Amino acid sequence: MKHTSKCQVGGLFCLLLVGNIAALSLGSASKPYDKQKVCVFGAGGFLGGCIFGFLQRCGSLYGTGIDGIQGPRAITATSVGSLALNSILSKNFVLAQADESFVKLTDMSSIDSIENRLQGFDAAVLATCYALETRPVTSGSYERTLNDKTTEFYMDRPRSDTYQEIDSPDHSFDFFRSSLEACRAAGIRRLIVLASDSQFERDSGDKHIDILNTCGIPYVYIRPNGQLENSPNSWTFAKGVQGDLVVERGYISLDPSSSSLPGVLYREDLAAVAVQSLLSLDWSINSIINVECIGPAPARKVNKALAKEWCVNSERLKSILEEN
């Protein structure tokens, strides 16, 4: 018999456990001395860039179990993706940066090329849908002729509106499928997959979950219930989680006839949930997490020792995901 339990942590989050499921604290933080290397696909997008920035901060702190020397690694198609990532890091993560040793330009049309970029890494963060843009292949990377073109991809969209985006769900799904094949071939042990907000509008089924289940790599599938937007208040990591979030486990089918509309969910908050999932959730178990924002976060006292936190309010996130 299924049951639902709810708890409130510091007035900021609720956790609803659907079915007899308990969150297990066997994530990377359970063995902080065993550093896990993580790569982020489409890190030039604002959501991907925030995840990368949080992972960089995790890698600088003991207790997270995230490698900060060889990782994190950004998977982009061209140098434009690298420039976009560094723009996010410098503005939103207080002059952080990712040099060429942390960014690998990848031919996303080649599974072998993707696999090569993943060798030696333990986990990958992907999206179900990317913003796409046609770009020249960066000189000295994988071009065959001077006029070669490729598709740059952003999780889930560029930070700036000046990019000429291509909306192609089929192309995004091809990216997703090829990435999974490469992850399996490279020996990736954990996947964090962020669904686009449009995917959550489906009333039943999800082709991305179907292909994940056949892939064989344990995953966390994070489904945002709401319109994804950037925080409007000149956000930096020092501001931490901005929304009053509800996190619910299990595949939740929405009633398409419902008159209630989901609210706004900030990309920065979703990125923090993704990173905390790596730290807190058992890497051997598949999990589906639904995230919704029900309003602004209550006023809180900010910890002044920011150098010791990868994200303000990360302890609350930890409590939510590890709650029985």
Side-chain angles (χ1 to χ4, degrees):
M1 180 178 67
K2 290 188 176 182
H3 69 278
T4 301
S5 61
K6 184 185 295 185
C7 64
Q8 187 78 22
V9 181
L12 184 61
F13 297 100
C14 296
L15 175 62
L16 302 176
L17 297 182
V18 179
N20 295 317
I21 303 174
L24 302 178
S25 181
L26 294 174
S28 65
S30 66
K31 295 182 179 179
Y33 50 85
D34 187 11
K35 301 293 186 180
Q36 306 298 320
K37 296 186 284 294
V38 184
C39 56
V40 182
F41 283 75
F46 188 64
L47 177 57
C50 286
I51 292 172
F52 187 95
F54 281 140
L55 286 170
Q56 269 194 331
R57 292 195 56 78
C58 285
S60 69
L61 301 173
Y62 181 77
T64 64
I66 299 297
D67 185 275
I69 299 177
Q70 299 181 58
R73 172 170 291 179
I75 304 295
T76 69
T78 70
S79 60
V80 174
S82 175
L83 291 172
L85 168 62
N86 276 287
S87 176
I88 296 165
L89 294 177
S90 63
K91 181 174 182 179
N92 301 103
F93 289 85
V94 191
L95 302 181
Q97 63 174 339
D99 63 30
E100 61 183 11
S101 65
F102 294 98
V103 182
K104 297 301 179 182
L105 307 188
T106 306
D107 180 2
M108 294 300 293
S109 67
S110 166
I111 294 176
D112 289 341
S113 176
I114 304 171
E115 178 189 348
N116 179 264
R117 298 310 195 191
L118 301 178
Q119 290 293 338
F121 275 69
D122 303 291
V125 184
L126 306 92
T128 60
C129 188
Y130 298 97
L132 308 173
E133 180 188 31
T134 300
R135 285 280 181 178
V137 176
T138 301
S139 177
S141 57
Y142 52 87
E143 77 278 12
R144 295 179 178 84
T145 69
L146 293 176
N147 298 318
D148 278 353
K149 301 290 185 180
T150 190
T151 302
E152 185 58 87
F153 63 114
Y154 306 90
M155 181 198 301
D156 62 327
R157 52 156 296 176
R159 186 179 187 282
S160 170
D161 292 329
T162 60
Y163 291 81
Q164 299 296 316
E165 299 176 35
I166 304 170
D167 184 12
S168 176
D170 290 340
H171 201 160
S172 285
F173 187 70
D174 288 341
F175 267 46
F176 184 72
R177 182 167 47 199
S178 298
S179 299
L180 288 187
E181 291 183 27
C183 286
R184 181 167 54 188
I188 293 292
R189 298 186 296 107
R190 186 59 158 172
L191 297 172
I192 304 295
V193 179
L194 293 101
S196 68
D197 49 342
S198 61
Q199 287 295 320
F200 199 80
E201 296 171 1
R202 297 168 59 93
D203 58 354
S204 64
D206 191 310
K207 62 182 180 180
H208 295 95
I209 292 180
D210 293 340
I211 195 172
L212 279 168
N213 286 331
T214 61
C215 176
I217 304 175
Y219 63 83
V220 178
Y221 190 74
I222 302 176
R223 306 173 73 218
N225 180 16
Q227 178 64 41
L228 293 181
E229 293 185 5
N230 298 354
S231 175
N233 301 317
S234 300
W235 182 89
T236 69
F237 79 92
K239 294 185 177 181
V241 177
Q242 296 289 290
D244 190 0
L245 303 182
V246 173
V247 180
E248 190 169 2
R249 289 179 178 275
Y251 194 96
I252 309 300
S253 295
L254 295 183
D255 181 1
S257 64
S258 174
S259 59
S260 61
L261 296 175
V264 169
L265 178 62
Y266 294 138
R267 290 182 173 88
E268 300 90 336
D269 292 356
L270 187 61
V273 172
V275 173
Q276 190 64 56
S277 297
L278 277 168
L279 273 58
S280 295
L281 297 184
D282 190 333
W283 279 36
S284 66
I285 294 177
N286 296 338
S287 299
I288 300 175
I289 298 175
N290 307 281
V291 184
E292 181 178 358
C293 180
I294 58 175
R300 61 198 181 279
K301 182 179 180 180
V302 177
N303 185 353
K304 294 183 179 180
L306 293 177
K308 297 182 179 180
E309 290 188 295
W310 66 267
C311 173
V312 173
N313 292 324
S314 60
E315 284 300 316
R316 290 191 176 98
L317 283 174
K318 179 176 182 290
S319 297
I320 286 296
L321 292 176
E322 295 180 0
E323 184 70 33
N324 290 326

